[in-house]
Amino acid sequence: MLDQPVTALPGVGVEKAKILAKLDLYSVRDVLFGYPRSYKDYSKIYTADHARQGMEGLFTGTVVNLREQLLNQNKRLIQAQIQGNTQSLTVSWFQVMRGRGTSYLYRQLSKVDQIWIYGQIKEGPYSWELTSGEWHTKQPKHLGLVPVYPLVSGITNTMRLQWIDFALKYLDQIYECLPKQLLAEFYPRTKAIHAIHFPTDDGELLEARKRLIFEEFFLFHLSLGKQEEQKNAIQHKPDGKCLEQYFNTLPFTLTAGQLQAICDVRADMEAPIQMRRLIQGDVGSGKTVIAEYATLKAVDSGGQVAFLVPTEVLARQMWTRLRERFSSFGIEVELLVGKDTTKHQKKILSGLAQGTIAVVVGTHALIADRVVFANLTLAIVDEQHRFGVRQRIALSDKGNADLLVMSATPIPRSLALTLYGDLNNTIIRDLPAGRRIVDTRLIHPSKRQDVYRFLVGRVEEKEQGFVVFALVEESDKLDLKAAVTEMEVLSAGPLSSIRVGLVHGQMGKQKAECLELFYQQKIDVLVSTTVIEVGMNVPTATVIVVENADRFGLAQLHQLRGRVGRSKKQAYCFLIANPQSEIARQRLDIIRHTNDGLRIAEEDLKLRGPGDLLGTRQSGQPWFKLADLIADAELLEKAAKAGRMLILEDPTLAKYPTLLAEVKRQQP
Ligand code: ADP
Ligand code: MG
């Protein structure tokens, strides 16, 4: 019954069903799990005597002075008074004219003596007033907290109430899904679902929310961590000569954090279980070394490696870097980007399928079904927060591969739990020796020339720099044009004496060429939109200028700043802005005064919400119906912990069939 289409609901035909699809309601079950957006408090019924400024509630009384008045050609006012003992309340509705004659509302109200109106009280010149209230000519059926549902045109809240009434009749078909050991703490499932729609009071609503939010987090966590079946995990060989040579040829000493991370990865890869490890480390902490180590270890054991990075620019950079590093080991590294089928790409695809190519670096293109591996034993995902959580699973499922995920720290704990809750965590806390804190300054736009003079000075010392312009939307043509014009003005003016390259997100091949020239130091300053945001590594770059800095997110600014200060030289970050609001000023102050990526990210999450923090919303990113990553962080921790324990006990959830069924429902 629950899985019947919405047309089973009273008054829903094919047309209504189409409208309901807009609300993601397809079945009776969806209606039951379509939670209210908010509640109206119908628990007390007031009279006009109770009216006070700002009060919201359900008022009732005898109708006096009902009238309807034309305000102009297409607008009318319907007004009545309800009388109390000591004071009266004027209720009004403004309506657009539809047809002639008196309004439906007027006719309905004139048929009854007593009415009920829900709304907010304001003080008027002659009496208390209530405008555009919800009206009833009978005492409303649902008293208590009345749910308010998300609506679209053609669907009213009253309809939804009626459908919920209908759906709730089948509540007994909903099974408990939480394991017994958790039930003591939470409402049973059916009770929670009933109460989320019709709570008797605030306390019950709170408990219902608690249970359902926990359930959301818990099911999400299990859907990530659950294993399909116990596969034979890959056991990589202990480090041999090849890795010894690798360590001997490293041009620097590893930091303690890097050593620890390598130890963890080594243990995971050699163990007969699937590695699921996240390496977190702030920008510049040297995470790539860990990836190089793991890659070499996998190849040395006869496996293949897929290395997923978020953008083509970064893919090329990583490809170049790995090719250089591994050339002396006789390991070929290939690059796979884009969807087209060039001859060259076909060759790579067949090389991967036959196992003749050991290492491939690429973008999303790697996840496509057509990419098949002969023996994938390691999947690496860099800058994971740019990907959906399911994408990393898709990649490692192409083999039975160990999974290594790398991310710069700026992800607040609550978000990290949802993105990485199923992973073991290694944090690199230290930066390579001798790094200095980037000198970060807020510059008023009128002082911009000084900044560019300074930049030219650094270039004369053989250093390099970035200038970044804000684009509100990468796709916004007007905005792009403005940025490009400004870039051109800059390269013709203050930067005319040095070699400048322009790049933006909508450039094709030229972009890669330009970046290549910058790497080779044939270009001194890269002027760009945010394309340099993540991962770019040019140690000789010491200056970054951010125009309209107040238009960037904090985490984004921190990432941008991380492009410089990657060597022993002092680096500078100039934020050009004239913040108009106190909040904007505070935000920039945070960036100026702290270098702690985590703290910055927490602030950003509070100020802008998770969508902004992660850049544009991406498919596969977890968005919850009820849960809020900030407000419900405690429940999230609890759910992640409980989920982790359950998976340890029963990795495939075979012992929990009702839970498994719900987990599967979570997966699109
Ligand atoms: P991220 O963690 O941001 O990905 P990278 O791996 O790109 O950082 O490393 C940043 C820079 O620091 C690179 O130029 C790298 O060669 C260098 N590097 C990495 N580890 C060390 C170290 N232990 N000592 C000195 N420099 C290092
Ligand atoms: Mg990196």
Side-chain angles (χ1 to χ4, degrees), residues 233-237 269 273-275 294-295 297-306 358 373-380 395-396 398-404:
I234 288 143
Q235 234 174 317
H236 289 95
K237 280 198 323 197
M269 286 182 73
I273 48 157
Q274 190 194 29
M275 170 164 77
T295 301
K297 190 174 180 71
V299 175
D300 194 36
S301 302
Q304 285 175 297
V305 180
F373 293 86
N375 182 29
L376 183 71
T377 68
L378 176 68
I380 305 177
L395 186 63
S396 66
K398 283 186 183 288
N400 179 18
D402 277 351
L403 176 67
L404 179 64

PDB file of all heavy atoms in Angstrom, residues 233-237 269 273-275 294-295 297-306 358 373-380 395-396 398-404:
ATOM      1  N   ALA A 233      40.285  -8.796  -0.139  1.00  0.00           N
ATOM      2  CA  ALA A 233      40.994  -7.538  -0.191  1.00  0.00           C
ATOM      3  C   ALA A 233      42.411  -7.759  -0.709  1.00  0.00           C
ATOM      4  O   ALA A 233      42.983  -8.831  -0.568  1.00  0.00           O
ATOM      5  CB  ALA A 233      41.029  -6.909   1.186  1.00  0.00           C
ATOM      6  N   ILE A 234      42.917  -6.685  -1.321  1.00  0.00           N
ATOM      7  CA  ILE A 234      44.257  -6.762  -1.888  1.00  0.00           C
ATOM      8  C   ILE A 234      45.302  -6.567  -0.806  1.00  0.00           C
ATOM      9  O   ILE A 234      45.173  -5.697   0.041  1.00  0.00           O
ATOM     10  CB  ILE A 234      44.407  -5.679  -2.965  1.00  0.00           C
ATOM     11  CG1 ILE A 234      43.577  -6.084  -4.170  1.00  0.00           C
ATOM     12  CG2 ILE A 234      45.858  -5.488  -3.348  1.00  0.00           C
ATOM     13  CD1 ILE A 234      42.919  -4.925  -4.830  1.00  0.00           C
ATOM     14  N   GLN A 235      46.312  -7.386  -0.868  1.00  0.00           N
ATOM     15  CA  GLN A 235      47.412  -7.261   0.076  1.00  0.00           C
ATOM     16  C   GLN A 235      48.640  -6.861  -0.720  1.00  0.00           C
ATOM     17  O   GLN A 235      49.156  -7.644  -1.515  1.00  0.00           O
ATOM     18  CB  GLN A 235      47.632  -8.613   0.750  1.00  0.00           C
ATOM     19  CG  GLN A 235      47.608  -8.559   2.246  1.00  0.00           C
ATOM     20  CD  GLN A 235      47.683  -9.933   2.843  1.00  0.00           C
ATOM     21  OE1 GLN A 235      47.031 -10.885   2.386  1.00  0.00           O
ATOM     22  NE2 GLN A 235      48.479 -10.055   3.877  1.00  0.00           N
ATOM     23  N   HIS A 236      49.102  -5.626  -0.532  1.00  0.00           N
ATOM     24  CA  HIS A 236      50.280  -5.196  -1.276  1.00  0.00           C
ATOM     25  C   HIS A 236      51.557  -5.723  -0.621  1.00  0.00           C
ATOM     26  O   HIS A 236      51.580  -5.992   0.578  1.00  0.00           O
ATOM     27  CB  HIS A 236      50.315  -3.667  -1.372  1.00  0.00           C
ATOM     28  CG  HIS A 236      49.267  -3.110  -2.287  1.00  0.00           C
ATOM     29  ND1 HIS A 236      48.046  -2.680  -1.828  1.00  0.00           N
ATOM     30  CD2 HIS A 236      49.253  -2.929  -3.623  1.00  0.00           C
ATOM     31  CE1 HIS A 236      47.316  -2.258  -2.858  1.00  0.00           C
ATOM     32  NE2 HIS A 236      48.024  -2.400  -3.956  1.00  0.00           N
ATOM     33  N   LYS A 237      52.621  -5.807  -1.451  1.00  0.00           N
ATOM     34  CA  LYS A 237      53.918  -6.317  -0.969  1.00  0.00           C
ATOM     35  C   LYS A 237      54.565  -5.345   0.009  1.00  0.00           C
ATOM     36  O   LYS A 237      54.355  -4.137  -0.069  1.00  0.00           O
ATOM     37  CB  LYS A 237      54.879  -6.470  -2.156  1.00  0.00           C
ATOM     38  CG  LYS A 237      54.676  -7.710  -2.965  1.00  0.00           C
ATOM     39  CD  LYS A 237      55.901  -8.050  -3.842  1.00  0.00           C
ATOM     40  CE  LYS A 237      56.627  -6.858  -4.441  1.00  0.00           C
ATOM     41  NZ  LYS A 237      57.518  -7.181  -5.554  1.00  0.00           N
ATOM     42  N   MET A 269      47.905  -0.781   3.353  1.00  0.00           N
ATOM     43  CA  MET A 269      48.055  -1.409   2.037  1.00  0.00           C
ATOM     44  C   MET A 269      48.559  -2.838   2.152  1.00  0.00           C
ATOM     45  O   MET A 269      48.232  -3.688   1.327  1.00  0.00           O
ATOM     46  CB  MET A 269      48.983  -0.577   1.145  1.00  0.00           C
ATOM     47  CG  MET A 269      48.325   0.699   0.631  1.00  0.00           C
ATOM     48  SD  MET A 269      49.382   1.670  -0.457  1.00  0.00           S
ATOM     49  CE  MET A 269      49.371   0.689  -1.960  1.00  0.00           C
ATOM     50  N   ILE A 273      42.868  -6.120   4.358  1.00  0.00           N
ATOM     51  CA  ILE A 273      41.563  -5.457   4.359  1.00  0.00           C
ATOM     52  C   ILE A 273      41.643  -4.304   3.365  1.00  0.00           C
ATOM     53  O   ILE A 273      42.732  -3.867   3.007  1.00  0.00           O
ATOM     54  CB  ILE A 273      41.198  -4.872   5.747  1.00  0.00           C
ATOM     55  CG1 ILE A 273      42.380  -4.072   6.287  1.00  0.00           C
ATOM     56  CG2 ILE A 273      40.748  -5.942   6.709  1.00  0.00           C
ATOM     57  CD1 ILE A 273      42.007  -3.046   7.313  1.00  0.00           C
ATOM     58  N   GLN A 274      40.490  -3.817   2.948  1.00  0.00           N
ATOM     59  CA  GLN A 274      40.518  -2.715   1.998  1.00  0.00           C
ATOM     60  C   GLN A 274      40.908  -1.426   2.732  1.00  0.00           C
ATOM     61  O   GLN A 274      40.306  -1.076   3.743  1.00  0.00           O
ATOM     62  CB  GLN A 274      39.140  -2.540   1.354  1.00  0.00           C
ATOM     63  CG  GLN A 274      39.185  -1.567   0.204  1.00  0.00           C
ATOM     64  CD  GLN A 274      37.808  -1.107  -0.233  1.00  0.00           C
ATOM     65  OE1 GLN A 274      36.868  -1.047   0.556  1.00  0.00           O
ATOM     66  NE2 GLN A 274      37.695  -0.763  -1.502  1.00  0.00           N
ATOM     67  N   MET A 275      41.926  -0.739   2.219  1.00  0.00           N
ATOM     68  CA  MET A 275      42.285   0.548   2.820  1.00  0.00           C
ATOM     69  C   MET A 275      41.183   1.558   2.516  1.00  0.00           C
ATOM     70  O   MET A 275      40.664   1.639   1.407  1.00  0.00           O
ATOM     71  CB  MET A 275      43.604   1.060   2.246  1.00  0.00           C
ATOM     72  CG  MET A 275      43.924   2.505   2.649  1.00  0.00           C
ATOM     73  SD  MET A 275      45.641   2.991   2.376  1.00  0.00           S
ATOM     74  CE  MET A 275      45.644   3.262   0.606  1.00  0.00           C
ATOM     75  N   ALA A 294      52.324   5.721  -2.174  1.00  0.00           N
ATOM     76  CA  ALA A 294      51.305   4.677  -2.326  1.00  0.00           C
ATOM     77  C   ALA A 294      51.266   4.162  -3.763  1.00  0.00           C
ATOM     78  O   ALA A 294      51.126   2.961  -4.005  1.00  0.00           O
ATOM     79  CB  ALA A 294      49.937   5.222  -1.917  1.00  0.00           C
ATOM     80  N   THR A 295      51.408   5.081  -4.715  1.00  0.00           N
ATOM     81  CA  THR A 295      51.392   4.707  -6.131  1.00  0.00           C
ATOM     82  C   THR A 295      52.521   3.734  -6.450  1.00  0.00           C
ATOM     83  O   THR A 295      52.320   2.688  -7.069  1.00  0.00           O
ATOM     84  CB  THR A 295      51.531   5.972  -7.011  1.00  0.00           C
ATOM     85  OG1 THR A 295      50.451   6.848  -6.707  1.00  0.00           O
ATOM     86  CG2 THR A 295      51.499   5.631  -8.481  1.00  0.00           C
ATOM     87  N   LYS A 297      54.159   1.889  -4.443  1.00  0.00           N
ATOM     88  CA  LYS A 297      53.968   0.621  -3.731  1.00  0.00           C
ATOM     89  C   LYS A 297      52.980  -0.285  -4.479  1.00  0.00           C
ATOM     90  O   LYS A 297      53.207  -1.478  -4.620  1.00  0.00           O
ATOM     91  CB  LYS A 297      53.463   0.900  -2.321  1.00  0.00           C
ATOM     92  CG  LYS A 297      53.448  -0.315  -1.408  1.00  0.00           C
ATOM     93  CD  LYS A 297      53.070   0.116  -0.005  1.00  0.00           C
ATOM     94  CE  LYS A 297      53.027  -1.065   0.952  1.00  0.00           C
ATOM     95  NZ  LYS A 297      54.362  -1.603   1.278  1.00  0.00           N
ATOM     96  N   ALA A 298      51.912   0.315  -4.975  1.00  0.00           N
ATOM     97  CA  ALA A 298      50.913  -0.464  -5.712  1.00  0.00           C
ATOM     98  C   ALA A 298      51.509  -1.029  -6.995  1.00  0.00           C
ATOM     99  O   ALA A 298      51.324  -2.211  -7.315  1.00  0.00           O
ATOM    100  CB  ALA A 298      49.697   0.400  -6.015  1.00  0.00           C
ATOM    101  N   VAL A 299      52.235  -0.180  -7.722  1.00  0.00           N
ATOM    102  CA  VAL A 299      52.800  -0.621  -8.994  1.00  0.00           C
ATOM    103  C   VAL A 299      53.871  -1.685  -8.751  1.00  0.00           C
ATOM    104  O   VAL A 299      53.956  -2.686  -9.465  1.00  0.00           O
ATOM    105  CB  VAL A 299      53.388   0.578  -9.773  1.00  0.00           C
ATOM    106  CG1 VAL A 299      54.079   0.101 -11.047  1.00  0.00           C
ATOM    107  CG2 VAL A 299      52.287   1.575 -10.112  1.00  0.00           C
ATOM    108  N   ASP A 300      54.644  -1.493  -7.707  1.00  0.00           N
ATOM    109  CA  ASP A 300      55.679  -2.454  -7.360  1.00  0.00           C
ATOM    110  C   ASP A 300      55.068  -3.821  -7.043  1.00  0.00           C
ATOM    111  O   ASP A 300      55.693  -4.854  -7.224  1.00  0.00           O
ATOM    112  CB  ASP A 300      56.464  -1.922  -6.152  1.00  0.00           C
ATOM    113  CG  ASP A 300      57.762  -2.691  -5.948  1.00  0.00           C
ATOM    114  OD1 ASP A 300      58.379  -3.087  -6.968  1.00  0.00           O
ATOM    115  OD2 ASP A 300      58.154  -2.902  -4.783  1.00  0.00           O
ATOM    116  N   SER A 301      53.825  -3.813  -6.559  1.00  0.00           N
ATOM    117  CA  SER A 301      53.151  -5.075  -6.248  1.00  0.00           C
ATOM    118  C   SER A 301      52.385  -5.617  -7.449  1.00  0.00           C
ATOM    119  O   SER A 301      51.589  -6.538  -7.324  1.00  0.00           O
ATOM    120  CB  SER A 301      52.163  -4.879  -5.092  1.00  0.00           C
ATOM    121  OG  SER A 301      52.813  -4.401  -3.951  1.00  0.00           O
ATOM    122  N   GLY A 302      52.566  -4.968  -8.600  1.00  0.00           N
ATOM    123  CA  GLY A 302      51.932  -5.469  -9.821  1.00  0.00           C
ATOM    124  C   GLY A 302      50.541  -4.935 -10.082  1.00  0.00           C
ATOM    125  O   GLY A 302      49.825  -5.450 -10.940  1.00  0.00           O
ATOM    126  N   GLY A 303      50.132  -3.897  -9.347  1.00  0.00           N
ATOM    127  CA  GLY A 303      48.784  -3.369  -9.523  1.00  0.00           C
ATOM    128  C   GLY A 303      48.737  -2.132 -10.406  1.00  0.00           C
ATOM    129  O   GLY A 303      49.760  -1.633 -10.878  1.00  0.00           O
ATOM    130  N   GLN A 304      47.515  -1.642 -10.615  1.00  0.00           N
ATOM    131  CA  GLN A 304      47.314  -0.390 -11.352  1.00  0.00           C
ATOM    132  C   GLN A 304      46.777   0.678 -10.402  1.00  0.00           C
ATOM    133  O   GLN A 304      46.140   0.359  -9.392  1.00  0.00           O
ATOM    134  CB  GLN A 304      46.279  -0.598 -12.460  1.00  0.00           C
ATOM    135  CG  GLN A 304      46.798  -1.373 -13.648  1.00  0.00           C
ATOM    136  CD  GLN A 304      45.670  -1.627 -14.644  1.00  0.00           C
ATOM    137  OE1 GLN A 304      44.691  -2.308 -14.327  1.00  0.00           O
ATOM    138  NE2 GLN A 304      45.804  -1.077 -15.840  1.00  0.00           N
ATOM    139  N   VAL A 305      47.033   1.945 -10.771  1.00  0.00           N
ATOM    140  CA  VAL A 305      46.638   3.050  -9.906  1.00  0.00           C
ATOM    141  C   VAL A 305      45.805   4.062 -10.697  1.00  0.00           C
ATOM    142  O   VAL A 305      46.184   4.447 -11.806  1.00  0.00           O
ATOM    143  CB  VAL A 305      47.877   3.764  -9.321  1.00  0.00           C
ATOM    144  CG1 VAL A 305      47.459   4.915  -8.419  1.00  0.00           C
ATOM    145  CG2 VAL A 305      48.764   2.777  -8.575  1.00  0.00           C
ATOM    146  N   ALA A 306      44.674   4.478 -10.125  1.00  0.00           N
ATOM    147  CA  ALA A 306      43.885   5.558 -10.716  1.00  0.00           C
ATOM    148  C   ALA A 306      43.941   6.749  -9.770  1.00  0.00           C
ATOM    149  O   ALA A 306      43.688   6.608  -8.577  1.00  0.00           O
ATOM    150  CB  ALA A 306      42.442   5.112 -10.911  1.00  0.00           C
ATOM    151  N   ALA A 358      50.192   1.387 -16.091  1.00  0.00           N
ATOM    152  CA  ALA A 358      50.149   1.166 -14.641  1.00  0.00           C
ATOM    153  C   ALA A 358      49.475   2.306 -13.891  1.00  0.00           C
ATOM    154  O   ALA A 358      48.755   2.094 -12.927  1.00  0.00           O
ATOM    155  CB  ALA A 358      51.552   0.953 -14.103  1.00  0.00           C
ATOM    156  N   PHE A 373      39.684  -1.375 -15.779  1.00  0.00           N
ATOM    157  CA  PHE A 373      41.064  -1.703 -15.418  1.00  0.00           C
ATOM    158  C   PHE A 373      41.261  -3.218 -15.382  1.00  0.00           C
ATOM    159  O   PHE A 373      40.350  -3.962 -15.015  1.00  0.00           O
ATOM    160  CB  PHE A 373      41.396  -1.153 -14.035  1.00  0.00           C
ATOM    161  CG  PHE A 373      41.426   0.346 -13.983  1.00  0.00           C
ATOM    162  CD1 PHE A 373      40.253   1.067 -13.768  1.00  0.00           C
ATOM    163  CD2 PHE A 373      42.624   1.038 -14.145  1.00  0.00           C
ATOM    164  CE1 PHE A 373      40.274   2.448 -13.716  1.00  0.00           C
ATOM    165  CE2 PHE A 373      42.642   2.424 -14.094  1.00  0.00           C
ATOM    166  CZ  PHE A 373      41.470   3.139 -13.872  1.00  0.00           C
ATOM    167  N   ALA A 374      42.476  -3.638 -15.737  1.00  0.00           N
ATOM    168  CA  ALA A 374      42.791  -5.064 -15.642  1.00  0.00           C
ATOM    169  C   ALA A 374      42.948  -5.451 -14.178  1.00  0.00           C
ATOM    170  O   ALA A 374      42.465  -6.486 -13.737  1.00  0.00           O
ATOM    171  CB  ALA A 374      44.062  -5.383 -16.411  1.00  0.00           C
ATOM    172  N   ASN A 375      43.619  -4.593 -13.419  1.00  0.00           N
ATOM    173  CA  ASN A 375      43.914  -4.945 -12.030  1.00  0.00           C
ATOM    174  C   ASN A 375      44.123  -3.688 -11.182  1.00  0.00           C
ATOM    175  O   ASN A 375      45.239  -3.406 -10.742  1.00  0.00           O
ATOM    176  CB  ASN A 375      45.165  -5.848 -12.002  1.00  0.00           C
ATOM    177  CG  ASN A 375      45.491  -6.298 -10.592  1.00  0.00           C
ATOM    178  OD1 ASN A 375      44.591  -6.431  -9.750  1.00  0.00           O
ATOM    179  ND2 ASN A 375      46.768  -6.511 -10.330  1.00  0.00           N
ATOM    180  N   LEU A 376      43.051  -2.949 -10.989  1.00  0.00           N
ATOM    181  CA  LEU A 376      43.164  -1.725 -10.202  1.00  0.00           C
ATOM    182  C   LEU A 376      43.306  -2.093  -8.722  1.00  0.00           C
ATOM    183  O   LEU A 376      42.432  -2.723  -8.146  1.00  0.00           O
ATOM    184  CB  LEU A 376      41.908  -0.865 -10.402  1.00  0.00           C
ATOM    185  CG  LEU A 376      41.925   0.488  -9.687  1.00  0.00           C
ATOM    186  CD1 LEU A 376      42.900   1.441 -10.355  1.00  0.00           C
ATOM    187  CD2 LEU A 376      40.527   1.108  -9.659  1.00  0.00           C
ATOM    188  N   THR A 377      44.427  -1.686  -8.120  1.00  0.00           N
ATOM    189  CA  THR A 377      44.582  -2.019  -6.695  1.00  0.00           C
ATOM    190  C   THR A 377      44.665  -0.787  -5.807  1.00  0.00           C
ATOM    191  O   THR A 377      44.686  -0.905  -4.590  1.00  0.00           O
ATOM    192  CB  THR A 377      45.832  -2.894  -6.443  1.00  0.00           C
ATOM    193  OG1 THR A 377      47.012  -2.115  -6.689  1.00  0.00           O
ATOM    194  CG2 THR A 377      45.835  -4.133  -7.312  1.00  0.00           C
ATOM    195  N   LEU A 378      44.733   0.395  -6.426  1.00  0.00           N
ATOM    196  CA  LEU A 378      44.769   1.615  -5.611  1.00  0.00           C
ATOM    197  C   LEU A 378      44.023   2.739  -6.319  1.00  0.00           C
ATOM    198  O   LEU A 378      44.267   3.017  -7.491  1.00  0.00           O
ATOM    199  CB  LEU A 378      46.230   2.034  -5.351  1.00  0.00           C
ATOM    200  CG  LEU A 378      46.433   3.352  -4.602  1.00  0.00           C
ATOM    201  CD1 LEU A 378      45.952   3.255  -3.156  1.00  0.00           C
ATOM    202  CD2 LEU A 378      47.904   3.772  -4.628  1.00  0.00           C
ATOM    203  N   ALA A 379      43.100   3.359  -5.611  1.00  0.00           N
ATOM    204  CA  ALA A 379      42.413   4.541  -6.135  1.00  0.00           C
ATOM    205  C   ALA A 379      42.769   5.711  -5.226  1.00  0.00           C
ATOM    206  O   ALA A 379      42.642   5.610  -4.003  1.00  0.00           O
ATOM    207  CB  ALA A 379      40.908   4.318  -6.152  1.00  0.00           C
ATOM    208  N   ILE A 380      43.232   6.803  -5.831  1.00  0.00           N
ATOM    209  CA  ILE A 380      43.580   7.981  -5.043  1.00  0.00           C
ATOM    210  C   ILE A 380      42.648   9.113  -5.451  1.00  0.00           C
ATOM    211  O   ILE A 380      42.412   9.333  -6.639  1.00  0.00           O
ATOM    212  CB  ILE A 380      45.044   8.407  -5.288  1.00  0.00           C
ATOM    213  CG1 ILE A 380      45.991   7.238  -5.023  1.00  0.00           C
ATOM    214  CG2 ILE A 380      45.413   9.614  -4.427  1.00  0.00           C
ATOM    215  CD1 ILE A 380      47.444   7.550  -5.301  1.00  0.00           C
ATOM    216  N   LEU A 395      34.893   4.929  -8.069  1.00  0.00           N
ATOM    217  CA  LEU A 395      36.246   4.713  -8.581  1.00  0.00           C
ATOM    218  C   LEU A 395      36.862   3.453  -7.987  1.00  0.00           C
ATOM    219  O   LEU A 395      37.369   2.595  -8.709  1.00  0.00           O
ATOM    220  CB  LEU A 395      37.127   5.932  -8.295  1.00  0.00           C
ATOM    221  CG  LEU A 395      38.515   5.872  -8.926  1.00  0.00           C
ATOM    222  CD1 LEU A 395      38.421   5.840 -10.449  1.00  0.00           C
ATOM    223  CD2 LEU A 395      39.375   7.045  -8.475  1.00  0.00           C
ATOM    224  N   SER A 396      36.804   3.319  -6.670  1.00  0.00           N
ATOM    225  CA  SER A 396      37.485   2.160  -6.074  1.00  0.00           C
ATOM    226  C   SER A 396      36.758   0.858  -6.431  1.00  0.00           C
ATOM    227  O   SER A 396      37.355  -0.205  -6.442  1.00  0.00           O
ATOM    228  CB  SER A 396      37.634   2.320  -4.565  1.00  0.00           C
ATOM    229  OG  SER A 396      36.381   2.314  -3.954  1.00  0.00           O
ATOM    230  N   LYS A 398      35.918   0.027  -9.281  1.00  0.00           N
ATOM    231  CA  LYS A 398      36.377  -0.456 -10.589  1.00  0.00           C
ATOM    232  C   LYS A 398      37.359  -1.600 -10.441  1.00  0.00           C
ATOM    233  O   LYS A 398      37.722  -2.245 -11.411  1.00  0.00           O
ATOM    234  CB  LYS A 398      37.023   0.687 -11.375  1.00  0.00           C
ATOM    235  CG  LYS A 398      35.993   1.613 -11.957  1.00  0.00           C
ATOM    236  CD  LYS A 398      36.670   2.639 -12.831  1.00  0.00           C
ATOM    237  CE  LYS A 398      35.670   3.623 -13.380  1.00  0.00           C
ATOM    238  NZ  LYS A 398      34.811   3.028 -14.412  1.00  0.00           N
ATOM    239  N   GLY A 399      37.844  -1.760  -9.263  1.00  0.00           N
ATOM    240  CA  GLY A 399      38.656  -2.933  -8.966  1.00  0.00           C
ATOM    241  C   GLY A 399      38.171  -3.323  -7.605  1.00  0.00           C
ATOM    242  O   GLY A 399      37.058  -3.029  -7.222  1.00  0.00           O
ATOM    243  N   ASN A 400      39.049  -3.875  -6.838  1.00  0.00           N
ATOM    244  CA  ASN A 400      38.680  -4.059  -5.445  1.00  0.00           C
ATOM    245  C   ASN A 400      39.715  -3.249  -4.698  1.00  0.00           C
ATOM    246  O   ASN A 400      40.425  -3.734  -3.835  1.00  0.00           O
ATOM    247  CB  ASN A 400      38.730  -5.542  -5.115  1.00  0.00           C
ATOM    248  CG  ASN A 400      38.367  -5.781  -3.676  1.00  0.00           C
ATOM    249  OD1 ASN A 400      37.768  -4.918  -3.042  1.00  0.00           O
ATOM    250  ND2 ASN A 400      38.756  -6.904  -3.163  1.00  0.00           N
ATOM    251  N   ALA A 401      39.823  -1.988  -5.115  1.00  0.00           N
ATOM    252  CA  ALA A 401      41.025  -1.215  -4.836  1.00  0.00           C
ATOM    253  C   ALA A 401      41.062  -0.633  -3.431  1.00  0.00           C
ATOM    254  O   ALA A 401      40.038  -0.300  -2.849  1.00  0.00           O
ATOM    255  CB  ALA A 401      41.141  -0.099  -5.862  1.00  0.00           C
ATOM    256  N   ASP A 402      42.274  -0.501  -2.933  1.00  0.00           N
ATOM    257  CA  ASP A 402      42.509   0.302  -1.741  1.00  0.00           C
ATOM    258  C   ASP A 402      42.187   1.744  -2.092  1.00  0.00           C
ATOM    259  O   ASP A 402      42.350   2.168  -3.237  1.00  0.00           O
ATOM    260  CB  ASP A 402      43.978   0.192  -1.319  1.00  0.00           C
ATOM    261  CG  ASP A 402      44.242  -1.066  -0.490  1.00  0.00           C
ATOM    262  OD1 ASP A 402      43.269  -1.730  -0.118  1.00  0.00           O
ATOM    263  OD2 ASP A 402      45.412  -1.366  -0.220  1.00  0.00           O
ATOM    264  N   LEU A 403      41.733   2.483  -1.080  1.00  0.00           N
ATOM    265  CA  LEU A 403      41.305   3.852  -1.359  1.00  0.00           C
ATOM    266  C   LEU A 403      42.086   4.843  -0.499  1.00  0.00           C
ATOM    267  O   LEU A 403      42.137   4.710   0.725  1.00  0.00           O
ATOM    268  CB  LEU A 403      39.810   3.968  -1.065  1.00  0.00           C
ATOM    269  CG  LEU A 403      39.186   5.344  -1.210  1.00  0.00           C
ATOM    270  CD1 LEU A 403      39.195   5.793  -2.665  1.00  0.00           C
ATOM    271  CD2 LEU A 403      37.746   5.327  -0.700  1.00  0.00           C
ATOM    272  N   LEU A 404      42.698   5.805  -1.173  1.00  0.00           N
ATOM    273  CA  LEU A 404      43.424   6.859  -0.461  1.00  0.00           C
ATOM    274  C   LEU A 404      42.808   8.194  -0.848  1.00  0.00           C
ATOM    275  O   LEU A 404      42.736   8.537  -2.020  1.00  0.00           O
ATOM    276  CB  LEU A 404      44.909   6.832  -0.849  1.00  0.00           C
ATOM    277  CG  LEU A 404      45.803   7.894  -0.216  1.00  0.00           C
ATOM    278  CD1 LEU A 404      45.879   7.706   1.291  1.00  0.00           C
ATOM    279  CD2 LEU A 404      47.198   7.843  -0.818  1.00  0.00           C
TER     280      LEU A 404
END
